[in-house]
Amino acid sequence: MSGAEKHRADLGEPYERRIPMPRTAVEDSGFVPPGRPGPGEAAAPPLDLPHDVLKSLLGAWALAACSTAETAAVEHHLGDCGGCADEARRLREAVGLLQQPETLDLDPALRTRVLRSCLDRRPPRIPVPEWAAPYDAETARLDALLQDFGDAEWHAPVRLRWFEDDTQVGRRTTVAGVIAHLLSVDGLIAAALGLEDPLADLASPAGPAARTEAFWRAAPCPPTRAVRAPWREQSHGLVRTVSFTGGSAGGLAVSYGDFELPLHDAMLERAFGCWVHAEDIAVAVDYPYRPPAPRHLHKMIDLAARLLPGALAERRRAGLSAPPGGTRHLVPAGAPGRSLRLEIEGAAGGQWLIPLDSPAAAGSADHEVAHVALDGVEFCHLAAGHLSPEEAAAGQLGDREAIRDVLFATASLSRM
């Protein structure tokens, strides 16, 4: 209450608070700002300035720093003077270079550059093993993607895809369901390291798909954003635990039910799974997502290439393929055998010789019968079951049957 209002109240006069009326827009008030022509008035002619003065104003004009009258004078002059028009065009282009449009999204490589700079100044007391670095990076990237998700994004539908018996299959879930899947499968490594298994209270099935289905069924309601915290806590715990071992636990066996992987390969496999499912989530919410850093992607490709001989043998046992040429050429373990040269292009690429007849044989350039070339990311999408072997844009040379077998064996590496 103002002083005047208080004085009126003391005199016993009724107090009425005054509410100001809405302001009238300047366009409706009839007020004409200085320098602007009123209704029905012609615009003032541009300033009559010498050529040298107008030329000196070109820089300010390019930066939109001239007054209205100066802008009109310069633009009128540019229609008559070709030399100044060329100079004005060059200045405007230069200003455009100074004001490049920038995305609000952070560069995915920013975290790596910052950490590298920090570690160059002060090495970590307990470093992360090199084979665990891809998992550390991919879980951090996915967590950054999830950070700003609202309820609508967490319940966005996601379709998981993989290959079974040379056929692409799928399973529908949500973004929260994908994180629950990662939590369940990463629990295999947690259990191997003696950490808490998120399925410890369940009749814990061994395989990744069975564990995920059991976790989904046991949840009282569909997974929500609450699953992010235990997943992130578990991923931090895995990286911290393998770091405290000094890397010496890399050979520890991790069981996936029907097969085992040493810990260093299991961490790479889970880094690959994290990236693939992060892409699934990004597609579901229509958000761009980049591949892993080339040095990490190379490790994932190398793991897939090392698993291919076993996948080829498994396909033959399942009756899904015949030996290349119709006859197997078995050799003693470790001896060179018929091979396919797998060439992966791109910054993460390289070349691998894949033995065709037996996982125990050694790849040999002297026994090369086929050569196939693929882009690195495309090869990973094939290994993830997101790309069919027929769709893979592969450069092929040599035994077509061997090439087909290797492409289908690559797709068979995928799982939910």
Side-chain angles (χ1 to χ4, degrees):
M1 186 182 295
S2 67
E5 292 166 344
K6 186 176 185 301
H7 177 67
R8 292 179 63 192
D10 292 340
L11 293 176
E13 298 180 13
Y15 165 65
E16 295 181 2
R17 183 175 295 278
R18 297 178 181 178
I19 301 176
M21 297 297 293
R23 294 184 180 181
T24 304
V26 71
E27 291 84 355
D28 300 331
S29 66
F31 172 74
V32 179
R36 182 182 295 180
E41 297 181 10
L47 297 176
D48 186 13
L49 300 174
H51 178 272
D52 292 344
V53 173
L54 291 167
K55 186 174 182 179
S56 69
L57 289 172
L58 292 178
W61 172 85
L63 292 168
C66 289
S67 67
T68 304
E70 290 170 339
T71 299
V74 170
E75 291 177 351
H76 180 76
H77 176 67
L78 294 180
D80 300 329
C81 180
C84 286
D86 290 340
E87 179 68 14
R89 177 180 54 79
R90 287 193 292 269
L91 289 171
R92 269 288 165 88
E93 290 174 352
V95 170
L97 294 175
L98 296 174
Q99 299 176 344
Q100 286 285 354
E102 295 183 1
T103 175
L104 296 178
D105 298 327
L106 294 178
D107 182 354
L110 177 61
R111 178 179 183 270
T112 300
R113 292 201 302 270
V114 172
L115 287 176
R116 185 180 299 158
S117 175
C118 294
L119 295 176
D120 287 342
R121 293 174 178 268
R122 180 178 296 178
R125 188 173 302 172
I126 303 175
V128 175
E130 185 64 26
W131 43 265
Y135 178 82
D136 185 29
E138 292 311 307
T139 51
R141 288 209 304 148
L142 175 53
D143 189 53
L145 174 65
L146 301 173
Q147 184 172 357
D148 296 325
F149 277 15
D151 290 337
E153 286 85 3
W154 279 100
H155 294 290
V158 179
R159 183 172 181 264
L160 304 180
R161 294 169 291 165
W162 67 98
F163 265 74
E164 286 183 5
D165 299 332
D166 291 351
T167 303
Q168 190 178 61
V169 297
R171 177 71 155 81
R172 292 196 175 275
T173 183
T174 63
V175 169
V178 173
I179 302 304
H181 167 57
L182 292 175
L183 175 69
S184 303
V185 183
D186 288 0
L188 291 168
I189 298 180
L193 290 171
L195 302 177
E196 182 180 357
D197 183 353
L199 274 70
D201 297 334
L202 305 177
S204 183
R211 284 175 61 89
T212 299
E213 295 288 354
F215 190 89
W216 285 343
R217 286 194 304 269
C221 57
T224 66
R225 65 191 311 154
V227 76
R228 178 191 172 199
W231 165 74
R232 193 65 179 118
E233 182 180 351
Q234 177 179 258
S235 64
H236 278 308
L238 295 179
V239 174
R240 184 168 54 248
T241 301
V242 299
S243 299
F244 275 115
T245 66
S248 59
L252 177 70
V254 178
S255 174
Y256 283 71
D258 52 352
F259 67 96
E260 289 185 348
L261 288 176
L263 177 60
H264 56 79
D265 283 346
M267 291 292 285
L268 271 177
E269 188 273 334
R270 297 315 305 141
F272 179 77
C274 184
W275 164 48
V276 168
H277 291 316
E279 279 196 338
D280 291 333
I281 291 172
V283 169
V285 298
D286 195 22
Y287 195 86
Y289 202 79
R290 297 187 183 181
R295 66 183 185 283
H296 294 164
L297 189 60
H298 177 82
K299 292 179 182 295
M300 299 175 193
I301 293 170
D302 177 70
L303 172 63
R306 288 188 282 111
L307 293 176
L308 276 177
L312 287 166
E314 184 63 31
R315 283 176 52 79
R316 281 194 290 270
R317 283 193 293 269
L320 295 174
S321 69
T327 305
R328 294 180 67 184
H329 299 267
L330 297 178
V331 296
R338 295 197 315 157
S339 306
L340 175 142
R341 182 180 298 275
L342 174 64
E343 181 179 351
I344 302 300
E345 300 170 339
Q351 295 191 17
W352 290 262
L353 287 165
I354 311 299
L356 297 172
D357 295 318
S358 168
S364 169
D366 294 334
H367 296 76
E368 181 180 325
V369 298
H371 184 173
V372 61
L374 281 164
D375 172 74
V377 173
E378 188 176 55
F379 175 78
C380 289
H381 284 165
L382 177 61
H386 286 193
L387 181 71
S388 71
E390 294 91 346
E391 294 172 331
Q396 304 178 7
L397 180 66
D399 190 325
R400 298 293 178 179
E401 190 176 353
I403 292 171
R404 180 186 182 279
D405 244 10
V406 168
L407 292 178
F408 273 88
T410 303
S412 73
L413 296 174
S414 63
R415 66 181 67 87
M416 185 171 82

